[in-house]
Amino acid sequence: VGGEQISSIGRGLCVLLGISLEDTQRELEHMVRKILNLRVFEDESGKHWSKSVMDKQYEVLCVSQFTLQCILKGNKPDYHMAMPTEQAESFYNNFLEQLRKAYKPELIKDGKFGAYMQVHIQNDGPVTIELESPAATVDPKQLTKLEKQQQRKEKTRTKVPSESSRERNASRNKDDPSASSGAEGDVSSEREP
């Protein structure tokens, strides 16, 4: 930050944390558990994907990164889904506090919230894993506008015909007795070639 090194770790995890408007204590707790228990390290015999950062007594470096909440509008990034700075800073500090309570506080490091930082990562493997809270635990009250709109669209696609469309079909059938509503089945497939 500003040309000065403020934090560093040896072996461990670099966590880039994007905090969303919808994030709650539930998501925070889920992320803390996942980060500390994610099995991405090898065991003593060299078997991959066997040990967590806690199993290996490795360090964790956390960097708050609102740009992970980016939604592209054409080629322009839009960050309206990121939690506002004042709330996000409190959320981020709570996240760090929970990590330190669940693990060894001296092994949890962080950057400087809201600062322009140069982050140097030696990505071993390279292995990068995106973690998100499970969709099944989302409170319907916390859905974004886009998710609510998508759900409405899906419901609309699966709806039965409205009363007005039924009435239109019925009036067409009255005008043309040979017209089929489709309820009796389509006999065109039964014709011989």
Side-chain angles (χ1 to χ4, degrees), residues 110-182:
D110 68 321
K112 183 174 181 184
F113 185 88
Y116 183 83
M117 291 176 276
Q118 295 289 316
V119 181
H120 300 274
I121 304 170
Q122 184 176 336
N123 195 343
D124 194 11
V127 175
T128 303
I129 297 173
E130 183 178 349
L131 297 178
E132 289 192 28
S133 297
T137 62
V138 173
D139 180 352
K141 294 175 189 171
Q142 298 293 326
L143 292 175
T144 66
K145 285 182 184 178
L146 292 173
E147 290 169 325
K148 288 177 182 176
Q149 287 171 349
Q150 185 62 33
Q151 285 182 348
R152 282 194 292 273
K153 284 180 186 175
E154 289 171 8
K155 285 180 184 175
T156 304
R157 286 186 206 126
T158 59
K159 274 187 179 176
V160 294
S162 66
E163 205 56 46
S164 59
S165 65
R166 285 189 202 135
E167 289 169 8
R168 281 194 298 267
N169 285 339
S171 66
R172 269 192 227 127
N173 291 343
K174 286 179 190 171
D175 296 340
D176 182 3
S178 65
S180 170
S181 67

Side-chain angles (χ1 to χ4, degrees), residues 1-184:
V1 177
E4 179 188 346
Q5 181 175 317
I6 63 165
S7 196
S8 70
I9 63 169
R11 299 259 337 193
L13 297 175
C14 180
V15 175
L16 305 175
L17 183 69
I19 305 169
S20 164
L21 277 171
E22 288 100 15
D23 285 337
T24 66
Q25 185 67 27
R26 176 188 274 175
E27 282 81 23
L28 185 147
E29 291 167 0
H30 174 83
M31 286 296 128
V32 166
R33 278 192 311 275
K34 271 298 191 197
I35 289 164
L36 294 177
N37 292 293
L38 187 65
R39 294 184 298 167
V40 293
F41 299 103
E42 57 187 39
D43 65 13
E44 295 72 28
S45 67
K47 183 179 176 194
H48 294 287
W49 316 110
S50 300
K51 297 289 183 178
S52 71
V53 72
M54 289 197 310
D55 294 332
K56 300 292 274 186
Q57 299 295 295
Y58 287 164
E59 296 172 289
V60 179
L61 173 64
C62 298
V63 179
S64 175
Q65 191 166 359
F66 76 94
T67 59
L68 288 170
Q69 294 301 321
C70 173
I71 295 174
L72 288 179
K73 293 193 173 181
N75 291 326
K76 184 177 180 184
D78 181 315
Y79 301 107
H80 76 275
M81 292 305 296
M83 187 177 283
T85 304
E86 306 76 38
Q87 292 172 271
E89 185 170 13
S90 173
F91 192 94
Y92 179 69
N93 288 332
N94 189 13
F95 172 76
L96 291 171
E97 184 180 318
Q98 295 302 316
L99 275 173
R100 289 178 176 129
K101 281 183 184 176
Y103 190 31
K104 294 181 175 182
E106 68 276 8
L107 296 180
I108 306 296
K109 309 288 177 74
D110 68 321
K112 183 174 181 184
F113 185 88
Y116 183 83
M117 291 176 276
Q118 295 289 316
V119 181
H120 300 274
I121 304 170
Q122 184 176 336
N123 195 343
D124 194 11
V127 175
T128 303
I129 297 173
E130 183 178 349
L131 297 178
E132 289 192 28
S133 297
T137 62
V138 173
D139 180 352
K141 294 175 189 171
Q142 298 293 326
L143 292 175
T144 66
K145 285 182 184 178
L146 292 173
E147 290 169 325
K148 288 177 182 176
Q149 287 171 349
Q150 185 62 33
Q151 285 182 348
R152 282 194 292 273
K153 284 180 186 175
E154 289 171 8
K155 285 180 184 175
T156 304
R157 286 186 206 126
T158 59
K159 274 187 179 176
V160 294
S162 66
E163 205 56 46
S164 59
S165 65
R166 285 189 202 135
E167 289 169 8
R168 281 194 298 267
N169 285 339
S171 66
R172 269 192 227 127
N173 291 343
K174 286 179 190 171
D175 296 340
D176 182 3
S178 65
S180 170
S181 67
E184 296 86 23

